[in-house]
């Protein structure tokens, strides 16, 4: 039954992974680690690495073209582009502006959202509000990262975790179905537990080309906070919609660590065959991970139209968030 309510419906999904694959065994040739350790602690078996000169906006472009094709939408129809990324090509212009120009979507609004690994959920939430307010009818939402560019390959506790990739969705205004709610949270007080402490107004070193730019993380603290925050946001999402956990068809989580994913699935009483898992093949692609997983699930035929999907993510900031949608 139709209503006056406006939803943001996912009209098409797309994703892109760089060609080069780095397996755990490849990694163990230059990092003091092993396939056994990485797989047991994280579930990761391999990750994709952007080629030299391949940028975040390149990955975003390929993912976007696929999403637009799937949605049957041309560049001229796009009213707004929102890119979640923490690894932009440049400090400015934004990756969204670079993407807009390459797509030929001239004139529409375009901006980036930086919420680390929650970047896609934040971008999706912003885009949803633009559609619900009537300010936009068609929005391209992207999560894209070249995170391995800021990995210290000598630091085995972080080097094994990350990969590069991008995912995109085209949202269209719809009166029938789509995003039911989004929920965003942050706790800036925990910044040192997961961060890259270099920036324009802090830490740029004179005469050096951004030397020492690398992710730093307190792994076990991040693990504990992530599980707690995700438990709380999935409860909040179900409650806000008056739904029971057993109503969900799919959990599409941020792909950081299989053990974190399993903890959320347990909370939701969901068998793992209704949880989309790509972390084994992609590693942690930060903002790219949720739309990459969604696109894979759509294209493989796992996710079907009409099903209820719960998307969630947790990342540096800390930031975390969720989206509940009827696909
Ligand atoms: N290879 C082999 N050994 C390693 C490696 C490695 N890559 N890294 C650490 N070790 C060793 C440590 O030196 C330590 O050895 P010791 O016992 O002799 O001192 C041992 O393994 C255990 O180290 P811990 O850091 O305690 O290992 P833990 O079980 O906590 O696992 C991990 C580490 C995988 C990082 C885990 O804490 C984690 O997944 N945390 C979540 C972090 C995360 O996912 N961050 C991504 C960004 S945030 C997000 O997206 C959610």
């Amino acid at each position: 039954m139709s209503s006056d309510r406006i939803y943001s419906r996912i009209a098409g999904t797309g994703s892109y992974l760089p060609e080069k694959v780095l397996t755990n065994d490849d990694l163990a040739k230059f990092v003091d680690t092993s396939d056994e350790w990485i797989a047991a602690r994280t579930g990761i078996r391999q990750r994709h690495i952007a080629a030299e000169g391949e940028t975040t906006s390149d990955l975003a472009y390929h993912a976007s073209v696929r999403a637009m094709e799937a949605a049957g939408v041309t560049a001229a129809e796009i009213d707004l582009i929102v890119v979640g990324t923490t690894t932009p090509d440049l400090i400015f212009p934004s990756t969204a502006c670079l993407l807009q120009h390459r797509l030929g979507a001239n004139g529409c609004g375009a901006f980036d959202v930086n919420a680390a690994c929650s970047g896609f959920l934040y971008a999706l939430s912003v885009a949803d509000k633009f559609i619900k307010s009537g300010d936009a009818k068609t929005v391209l939402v992207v999560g894209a990262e070249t995170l391995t560019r800021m990995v210290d390959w000598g630091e085995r506790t972080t080097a094994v975790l990350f990969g590069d990739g991008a995912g995109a969705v085209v949202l269209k205004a719809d009166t029938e179905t789509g995003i039911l709610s989004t929920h965003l949270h942050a706790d800036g007080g925990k910044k040192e537990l997961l961060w890259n402490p270099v920036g324009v107004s802090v830490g740029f070193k004179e005469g050096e080309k951004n030397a020492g730019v690398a992710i730093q993380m307190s792994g076990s603290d991040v693990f504990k906070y992530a599980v707690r925050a995700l438990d709380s946001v999935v409860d909040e999402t179900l409650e806000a919609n008056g739904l029971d956990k057993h109503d969900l068809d799919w959990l599409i989580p941020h792909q950081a660590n299989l053990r974190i994913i399993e903890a959320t699935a347990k909370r939701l009483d969901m068998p793992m065959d209704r949880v989309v898992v790509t972390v084994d093949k992609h590693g942690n692609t930060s903002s790219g991970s949720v739309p990459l997983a969604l696109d894979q699930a759509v294209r493989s035929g796992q996710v079907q139209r009409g099903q209820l999907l719960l998307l969630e993510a947790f990342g540096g900031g800390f930031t975390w968030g969720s989206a509940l949608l009827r696909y």
Side-chain angles (χ1 to χ4, degrees):
M1 206 174 73
S2 68
S3 69
D4 291 339
R5 186 171 169 182
I6 302 174
Y7 294 94
S8 314
R9 182 175 62 87
I10 295 184
T13 66
S15 61
Y16 179 78
L17 290 157
E19 216 174 288
K20 184 180 168 187
V21 172
L22 188 73
T23 65
N24 291 347
D25 285 334
D26 295 335
L27 199 58
K29 288 177 193 149
F30 61 97
V31 177
D32 179 18
T33 189
S34 65
D35 175 50
E36 199 189 0
W37 192 96
I38 302 170
R41 303 278 174 140
T42 71
I44 298 167
R45 291 277 181 189
Q46 61 170 55
R47 72 284 295 140
H48 291 248
I49 309 284
E52 208 181 325
E54 193 173 36
T55 66
T56 295
S57 71
D58 292 330
L59 310 190
Y61 172 76
H62 295 302
S64 299
V65 167
R66 289 173 184 173
M68 288 160 62
E69 278 169 9
V73 161
T74 64
E77 291 171 74
I78 295 173
D79 300 319
L80 180 70
I81 299 174
V82 190
V83 177
T85 187
T86 191
T87 49
D89 291 24
L90 305 168
I91 290 164
F92 72 91
S94 68
T95 305
C97 284
L98 304 177
L99 175 64
Q100 183 221 42
H101 178 65
R102 191 149 167 210
L103 290 171
N106 302 331
C108 73
F111 60 90
D112 289 357
V113 172
N114 178 351
C117 298
S118 311
F120 178 76
L121 264 308
Y122 268 63
L124 190 72
S125 180
V126 171
D128 178 46
K129 303 296 182 286
F130 269 87
I131 287 184
K132 286 203 169 113
S133 72
D135 277 358
K137 286 201 160 41
T138 305
V139 184
L140 174 64
V141 188
V142 185
E145 304 278 8
T146 46
L147 223 70
T148 65
R149 295 268 156 76
M150 58 175 179
V151 160
D152 175 354
W153 295 107
E155 176 49 74
R156 66 179 182 172
T157 55
T158 48
V160 301
L161 302 176
F162 299 103
D164 301 329
V169 301
V170 173
L171 290 184
K172 290 193 84 163
D174 194 292
T175 52
E176 302 285 337
T177 190
I179 295 176
L180 300 174
S181 69
T182 61
H183 305 267
L184 304 181
H185 295 282
D187 181 354
K190 305 294 181 306
K191 71 175 192 291
E192 282 102 352
L193 296 179
L194 176 57
W195 66 333
N196 185 333
V198 176
V200 179
S201 67
V202 181
F204 261 30
K205 293 184 185 136
E206 248 178 73
E208 289 178 36
K209 202 184 163 208
N210 308 346
V213 178
I215 298 169
Q216 296 176 16
M217 182 181 73
S218 168
S220 57
D221 289 323
V222 172
F223 193 102
K224 280 179 239 153
Y225 273 103
V227 171
R228 238 182 287 145
L230 291 170
D231 277 357
S232 145
V233 84
V234 297
D235 289 351
E236 176 190 350
T237 309
L238 290 170
E239 205 182 309
N241 290 281
L243 290 168
D244 181 79
K245 57 191 175 186
H246 299 108
D247 295 326
L248 295 171
D249 290 302
W250 287 98
L251 172 65
I252 306 187
H254 172 47
Q255 309 285 320
N257 182 310
L258 187 59
R259 291 187 295 148
I260 297 177
I261 294 173
E262 285 169 345
T264 310
K266 195 169 166 206
R267 175 76 166 201
L268 292 169
D269 199 17
M270 285 192 94
M272 286 306 285
D273 60 6
R274 287 200 285 129
V275 180
V276 179
V277 175
T278 55
V279 70
D280 53 333
K281 295 188 193 71
H282 301 170
N284 181 352
T285 58
S286 187
S287 296
S289 99
V290 171
L292 265 159
L294 174 64
D295 184 49
Q296 179 164 310
V298 166
R299 286 175 193 261
S300 67
Q302 286 175 291
V303 163
Q304 300 283 327
R305 284 285 172 200
Q307 290 187 324
L308 195 61
L309 317 185
L310 178 59
L311 281 48
E312 46 84 340
F314 179 93
F318 290 138
T319 58
W320 61 102
S322 66
L324 186 76
L325 61 98
R326 181 74 62 188
Y327 180 74

